[in-house]
Each structure stands twice: as C-alpha cells, then as structure tokens.
Amino acid sequence: MPLFEIETDAHIIITWAADETAAGGVVHEAYPGDKVIRLTKRPRDTWVISKGALGLTTKRVDVCSTARDCLSKSSGDKVHAIRLYMHETGTDLEHARKVIESNMVMGW
C-alpha cells in the first residue's frame, strides 16, 4: 500500500492508503474541518524527518522543491535525480549532488 503525505491548512499527515481518494478520505474522516492543500504519493514506503529542517539542531538545511521534484521523478534514484537537477537548474555536479543528498535526508 502506498504512503501518502497530505498537507492541510492545519496539519501534515502521513498515512498509508490504497489511492489518492482513500488518502483524502483519511483526512476528511479525522479532520473534517481541514482543507487539503497538497496530497503527494511518496516514492518510498518510509518517512524521514530531518531535525535540521525543523530547526532542532544548529545546522539548518534548506528545502528545495526542485530537488524534491527531481527525486520524485527519478523514484529515489540519486544519480538520476542529480542529472535531472543539473538539467533543470544548470548547476554543476558537486552542487547538484549536495542539494539532492540534503533533500534525501529530509524525507523527500
């Protein structure tokens, strides 16, 4: 069963569901007053939250939606995601590698 990330106006919900409709149903059942802002099928069956992204460490990590999109398009294949990121942004290999790896640890 796929893992879904659902962002509402008040919550971020991580849940397993058969499809997007069922995932939306989980939200409406648990939080009927919430409006779904974003519903994303995760490419893997695990979820990781970076303490740096939450500000719980002294090291801050920036979230990059382009890198997350590249990771999603590549189904988690780091090398392919790096190539996609380089193509989409025009950045060099080393910078692309750092951005992709940083976003991998943030639970893309």
Side-chain angles (χ1 to χ4, degrees):
M1 193 175 306
L3 185 65
F4 288 89
E5 172 186 347
I6 308 152
E7 181 180 355
T8 72
D9 51 354
H11 300 91
I12 295 177
I13 302 161
I14 310 302
T15 188
W16 279 279
D19 54 25
E20 289 185 6
T21 304
V26 169
V27 174
H28 295 300
E29 191 174 305
Y31 302 100
D34 282 14
K35 177 183 172 190
V36 175
I37 297 170
R38 182 176 51 87
L39 193 144
T40 307
K41 180 179 174 186
R42 305 295 295 171
R44 303 261 187 228
D45 62 354
T46 58
W47 179 255
V48 177
I49 299 173
S50 168
K51 287 184 174 183
L54 295 175
L56 300 175
T57 66
T58 56
K59 183 178 179 183
R60 296 285 298 172
V61 180
D62 291 332
V63 176
C64 178
S65 60
T66 304
R68 293 169 71 96
D69 287 343
C70 290
L71 282 160
S72 182
K73 289 176 189 175
S74 69
S75 299
D77 181 338
K78 181 173 86 171
V79 174
H80 186 58
I82 290 170
R83 288 184 187 131
L84 286 171
Y85 187 83
M86 289 172 59
H87 177 73
E88 290 187 19
T89 63
T91 191
D92 67 350
L93 176 63
E94 187 60 22
H95 179 74
R97 182 189 63 78
K98 287 179 183 178
V99 171
I100 293 297
E101 287 178 351
S102 294
N103 280 274
M104 287 182 82
V105 292
M106 287 188 286
W108 55 273

